[in-house]
Amino acid sequence: MTTPRSVRSLQDLATLKKTLSKAAAEAARREAEARAKAAQELRERHLFEHTVGPVLPLRHAVVLPLARPRVEPLPRQRERDEAAVLREAISDEFDVESLLETDDALSWRGQGIGPEVVRKLRRGVWAIQAQLDLHGLRRDEAREQLASFLREAVRHGLRCVRVIHGKGNGSPGREPVLKAKVKTWLVQKSEVIAFAHARAADGGNGALLVLLKPTGPQALPKTEGARKTRSPRLD
């Protein structure tokens, strides 16, 4: 005879079996739906590929910088150089003879410069601080070197310099070409206020002592004793 407890056990077993069957059926249904969905997506992809043909993935777009017109640089330095050349331009056609004092040691002094300045220049009151030797140079070379030499002398604050042009003994016809040209060029330079032939000890008629505009402390004349201490040559 079956006891009530055993009856309950059989009922629980049947319930469990029924529950497991339902769970298995639900899992099978979900798996079937998943397979059906995957098959549908595969068919749709094949249909798209068949319709549009082979496809390639898009490349990353390269962003090119916008080309802007470049502003042409202004040649400022060249303009300054050209302006400096115009300021320093000295002509070979300038007539200087009418401006020279008629004495044995031909000299010149600028407007507003008294004759005493030239006399002091001859006596060596100002020390010769630098010199330029133009021996053996052609006319154009000598002119360019003289302009450069004077520019550097002023930049260094020099007052008195010597320009050696020679006596012309080695020139064709023994004519002192540079001697006349150097005077012509010096008169046209704004930084030159006076010049005179050097004393015999300083080159005589083959050189000129040139006095430059004062630019600072060196504006005061130096005594003869200062001639022992000279600035380095700029030539």
Side-chain angles (χ1 to χ4, degrees):
M1 185 174 179
T2 304
T3 63
R5 181 172 181 173
S6 60
V7 172
R8 286 196 300 272
S9 298
L10 291 174
Q11 290 176 349
D12 292 341
L13 182 59
T15 301
L16 179 59
K17 183 178 180 181
K18 186 176 180 181
T19 301
L20 292 175
S21 298
K22 290 176 66 177
E26 181 64 21
R29 184 183 65 79
R30 290 179 180 177
E31 185 178 354
E33 288 180 352
R35 286 198 298 268
K37 184 177 181 181
Q40 178 66 23
E41 291 177 353
L42 182 60
R43 286 194 298 271
E44 290 178 355
R45 187 175 63 185
H46 288 170
L47 178 61
F48 177 80
E49 293 176 352
H50 179 72
T51 303
V52 302
V55 295
L56 296 175
L58 292 176
R59 296 180 179 178
H60 293 292
V62 178
V63 180
L64 298 177
L66 181 62
R68 297 181 179 179
R70 296 184 60 183
V71 180
E72 292 294 330
L74 297 176
R76 297 295 188 189
Q77 185 58 48
R78 187 180 67 187
E79 293 175 356
R80 288 193 289 267
D81 293 342
E82 291 176 352
V85 170
L86 290 177
R87 288 194 301 269
E88 295 178 355
I90 44 184
S91 171
D92 290 337
E93 306 302 325
F94 189 82
D95 182 13
V96 69
E97 296 302 324
S98 60
L99 301 176
L100 297 177
E101 294 184 4
T102 56
D103 54 16
D104 293 337
L106 293 178
S107 60
W108 174 85
R109 52 191 172 90
Q111 186 175 5
I113 305 299
E116 181 63 21
V117 172
V118 176
R119 286 193 289 268
K120 289 181 178 180
L121 186 61
R122 292 173 184 162
R123 293 199 306 265
V125 173
W126 282 277
I128 300 174
Q129 298 170 292
Q131 72 175 19
L132 173 67
D133 192 344
L134 300 176
H135 273 111
L137 296 182
R138 296 180 181 275
R139 183 180 61 185
D140 292 342
E141 294 174 336
R143 181 174 56 230
E144 293 175 4
Q145 288 209 19
L146 178 62
S148 176
F149 172 75
L150 294 176
R151 182 173 60 252
E152 287 297 305
V154 171
R155 188 169 69 87
H156 285 80
L158 306 186
R159 286 301 316 279
C160 182
V161 297
R162 176 170 53 190
V163 178
I164 303 172
H165 48 65
K167 299 180 179 179
N169 294 333
S171 302
R174 302 178 66 85
E175 290 292 331
V177 178
L178 280 184
K179 180 177 180 180
K181 290 299 181 184
V182 168
K183 295 175 183 177
T184 299
W185 299 333
L186 288 174
V187 169
Q188 299 176 67
K189 301 299 292 181
S190 60
E191 54 265 45
V192 176
I193 61 176
F195 64 77
H197 277 300
R199 297 181 303 176
D202 294 325
N205 291 338
L208 290 174
L209 299 182
V210 182
L211 189 64
L212 304 175
K213 285 183 177 180
T215 57
Q218 300 201 26
L220 297 176
K222 297 183 178 181
T223 62
E224 181 70 21
R227 297 175 63 84
K228 297 180 181 178
T229 304
R230 297 182 180 178
S231 301
R233 291 177 56 175
L234 300 181
D235 55 332

